[in-house]
Amino acid sequence: MSAININSNTPVAVGMSGGVDSSAAAFLLQKQSSRLMGVSHYIWPEGDCCSAELLARARDACTHLGIPYLVEDLQEEFTGAVVQDFVDAYLDGKTPNPCVRCNQRIRFSTFYRRLETKLHETGFLTEGESLKMATGHYVRLEETDEGLFLRRGLDRRKDQSYMLYQIPRDLLPNFVFPLGNMKKTEVVALAKEHGLPAAAARESQDACFVHGRYGDFIAEFTGSMKGNEPGDIVDTAGTPLGTHRGYINYTIGQRQGLGLGNGPWFVVRVDPRANRVVVGRREELGIREFSISGCNWFFRRNPGSFEARVKIRYNSSAVPCRVRLEDDSRARVSLSRSEAVTPGQSAVFYLDELVLGGGLID
């Protein structure tokens, strides 16, 4: 169960995506609070997560439920905090996850704070009240002696805790996740049973602001061909093997699209300064240690070091590891086995079902 209790007088804003999950979350919360409203952020012109169609579906869902609806324009903030970060990371030879950045810098921070201010101005919130915000993510909250933690969603196939590990610790108590104890099949059935208009909405994908190749988007955004210029593909000894089409089009572990003979070859490193892509055999791909930065932790006391299981990409299995904290924002990670670790992706640490925190792989 969520660690946050909602009563009939709790003011709650539900993040509405136009999909089945957020509509179901709003329906469930309507049974608990009489002070409910739907909210959406507009972050990119016709982006996959805020197209005119999806915003119309979100509005229809709120009309169906009889609750007010508000759209907040955060295009400028999103462009600076997420899109520019995405471009900079790729030009630096990394592979970022823009959804993690959006959750950290926009949805669960800037958007929340902007809503709280605006809803005080409109009178939805009275003086001294704080806002609770709900989303349709499949994740739970759990209060422990060490603080409030994210907990994996009951539906393991839909668990989104990896994507939310950067929610600021001080804001975590303000969020509510009504679907954390449900399975997706139950949520879809609930939406159909109660005629929610978003029951068949398409789910948004990674990099909602990109349509087509990342390299083409970055060239258009920057007005430059940097990162898209051809260069050498070399093996780990520096021997030229072929030509790449721009280093930003390659990521660690990539096997397809290299155009090399005598395979299989895997991308083991991207070198933006030399404009090279380094490839190797499978046994050259994995590493056992790496560093992370920009960390966010949910425990109250710094443990110095701890053992956990780590996911180094959204769809990967968790690997046993030891973490040594260098300070509040940096750590060193030792894996129990070699893995293909990708700079720019997130390393998220779990103790059983609890999310301890994580950081960006350097």
Side-chain angles (χ1 to χ4, degrees):
M1 294 293 291
S2 168
I4 304 299
N5 292 320
I6 299 297
N7 60 46
S8 61
N9 197 43
T10 302
V12 184
V14 185
M16 302 296 293
S17 66
V20 57
D21 296 327
S22 59
S23 299
F27 174 81
L28 292 171
L29 285 169
Q30 195 175 36
K31 297 179 176 299
Q32 297 177 264
S33 173
S34 61
R35 298 174 62 192
L36 191 69
M37 73 178 307
V39 295
S40 299
H41 53 43
Y42 184 75
I43 55 178
W44 194 257
E46 287 303 299
D48 286 347
C49 63
C50 58
S51 66
E53 176 190 0
L54 289 178
L55 292 178
R57 290 187 178 191
R59 185 179 298 279
D60 287 346
C62 291
T63 299
H64 180 80
L65 294 170
I67 61 175
Y69 178 63
L70 171 70
V71 178
E72 187 69 14
D73 189 334
L74 294 174
Q75 293 180 82
E76 182 178 350
E77 293 82 354
F78 181 78
T79 300
V82 179
V83 181
Q84 187 66 59
D85 177 83
F86 170 87
V87 170
D88 290 345
Y90 264 104
L91 291 177
D92 196 33
K94 298 178 180 178
T95 306
N97 188 322
C99 286
V100 169
R101 276 296 197 222
C102 183
N103 286 331
Q104 174 194 14
R105 296 178 171 180
I106 302 296
R107 182 175 293 162
F108 292 92
S109 53
T110 300
F111 186 36
Y112 172 81
R113 293 186 178 100
R114 183 78 62 82
L115 283 173
E116 193 168 48
T117 298
K118 177 167 285 189
L119 295 180
H120 272 116
E121 294 172 350
T122 63
F124 182 81
L125 294 174
T126 60
E127 185 176 354
E129 277 190 323
S130 61
L131 179 69
K132 300 299 183 189
M133 184 172 174
T135 72
H137 288 91
Y138 289 82
V139 67
R140 294 175 282 185
L141 297 176
E142 184 169 322
E143 185 72 63
T144 76
D145 292 339
E146 290 297 320
L148 182 65
F149 288 82
L150 284 175
R151 183 182 177 190
R152 296 183 66 190
L154 178 68
D155 191 334
R156 289 291 182 268
R157 293 175 299 175
K158 298 299 297 181
D159 170 51
Q160 292 165 301
S161 58
Y162 177 92
M163 307 298 289
L164 303 185
Y165 81 95
Q166 282 281 9
I167 295 178
R169 184 175 65 181
D170 63 319
L171 292 181
L172 189 61
N174 298 314
F175 296 105
V176 184
F177 304 103
L179 307 187
N181 282 306
M182 298 181 69
K183 293 190 174 183
K184 180 75 173 191
T185 52
E186 296 175 307
V187 172
V188 172
L190 179 76
K192 290 181 178 179
E193 179 183 357
H194 295 280
L196 296 176
R202 178 176 58 87
E203 296 182 2
S204 61
Q205 302 298 314
D206 191 21
C208 64
F209 49 92
V210 178
H211 299 104
R213 295 174 60 247
Y214 286 1
D216 294 339
F217 172 83
I218 292 171
E220 181 179 356
F221 185 83
T222 62
S224 167
M225 288 303 293
K226 181 181 179 182
N228 275 297
E229 297 168 325
D232 289 335
I233 299 178
V234 302
D235 64 18
T236 53
T239 305
L241 300 176
T243 302
H244 66 72
R245 63 182 187 278
Y247 68 81
I248 59 176
N249 299 293
Y250 300 83
T251 187
I252 305 299
Q254 180 176 332
R255 176 181 173 181
Q256 303 297 324
L258 300 179
L260 302 177
N262 194 29
W265 295 97
F266 299 84
V267 175
V268 299
R269 189 167 67 255
V270 175
D271 185 348
R273 288 161 185 81
N275 191 25
R276 297 193 309 181
V277 173
V278 182
V279 298
R281 302 304 186 183
R282 183 184 295 274
E283 59 270 19
E284 298 176 282
L285 184 59
I287 61 173
R288 293 284 293 270
E289 289 199 7
F290 60 92
S291 61
I292 59 174
S293 60
C295 297
N296 183 57
W297 305 109
F298 294 118
F299 40 70
R300 294 193 184 105
R301 295 174 295 179
N302 187 329
S305 64
F306 59 89
E307 292 185 353
R309 298 179 70 86
V310 60
K311 292 183 66 172
I312 56 175
R313 60 186 64 86
Y314 178 60
N315 288 319
S316 70
S317 58
V319 179
C321 68
R322 172 162 284 279
V323 184
R324 300 187 301 278
L325 303 183
E326 297 178 355
D327 53 41
D328 287 342
S329 65
R330 297 186 60 83
R332 189 75 183 169
V333 183
S334 300
L335 301 175
S336 64
R337 63 174 185 257
S338 294
E339 292 286 335
V341 178
T342 305
Q345 289 287 296
S346 291
V348 182
F349 303 94
Y350 293 81
L351 182 62
D352 297 325
E353 293 192 335
L354 296 185
V355 179
L356 302 178
L360 296 180
I361 298 169
D362 292 326

